[in-house]
Amino acid sequence: MSTSSYVVREAVDPADREACFAVRKEVFVVEQGVPQDLEYDAYDAVAVHVLAVGGDGEPLGAGRLLHGERAAAKTGGEPGVGSLGRLAVLKAARGLGVGVALVRGIEEAARALGLTAVDLHAQTHALGFYERLGYVAYGPEFPDAGIAHRAMRRELRPAG
């Protein structure tokens, strides 16, 4: 797997979406032990998916954005807030900036949809990563798939 260069793009065709799901399976199901039936949900069919691909065409990471009514349960129902989720980077690509690039790609997609903020539910070990990207934790810690999480939000500046 070549990880020296990569691109981040919206996953628009079936092959891209399958690559996103393969990354998520490796990170969440295999590495972290999340049950497969919890990892994939009805939101996958309607989410904006973002994919990081190495110079050799191999997938390196993925994430998704929910917006509108689909995001309401995760964002407190605020219409201008999207929900970033399922952010995953393969072990071989960690430390290369792929996660940052995926978050920024999801934020760009949120801006394009007219959203003013992005919420996420961060695993507590990843709080520092998201804080460095401008996200602020709020509310109490809670379990999701048996893993401790905190809600976080970042206000978005308009593109330009």
Side-chain angles (χ1 to χ4, degrees):
M1 173 186 308
S2 170
T3 56
S4 59
S5 66
Y6 56 87
V7 296
V8 172
R9 65 175 189 250
E10 189 172 330
V12 292
D13 64 39
D16 280 353
R17 286 187 176 230
E18 287 305 313
C20 289
F21 299 150
V23 168
R24 287 170 43 190
K25 181 176 183 177
E26 179 64 27
V27 173
F28 296 122
V29 177
V30 175
E31 282 183 37
Q32 297 183 358
V34 173
Q36 194 160 313
D37 63 323
L38 293 180
E39 175 51 31
Y40 306 102
D41 58 28
Y43 294 121
D44 282 325
V46 295
V48 174
H49 294 271
V50 176
L51 176 66
V53 180
D56 60 1
E58 290 297 312
L60 303 176
R64 75 178 188 187
L65 173 70
L66 302 177
H67 57 93
E69 290 179 18
R70 298 167 182 117
K74 298 177 180 293
T75 64
E78 295 180 54
V81 180
S83 176
L84 183 160
R86 303 304 201 264
L87 189 75
V89 176
L90 294 177
K91 195 177 287 188
R94 292 180 193 153
L96 302 174
V98 174
V100 172
L102 285 165
V103 170
R104 296 306 187 219
I106 290 168
E107 291 171 350
E108 285 178 30
R111 279 189 197 89
L113 291 166
L115 301 177
T116 58
V118 173
D119 270 18
L120 58 87
H121 293 165
Q123 293 181 7
T124 55
H125 72 83
L127 288 171
F129 167 78
Y130 290 111
E131 287 168 344
R132 288 188 296 278
L133 298 178
Y135 287 80
V136 177
Y138 66 90
E141 189 175 294
F142 60 92
D144 186 1
I147 301 168
H149 284 70
R150 289 276 313 274
M152 301 185 85
R153 176 172 290 183
R154 179 170 188 252
E155 302 295 328
L156 299 176
R157 292 189 177 130

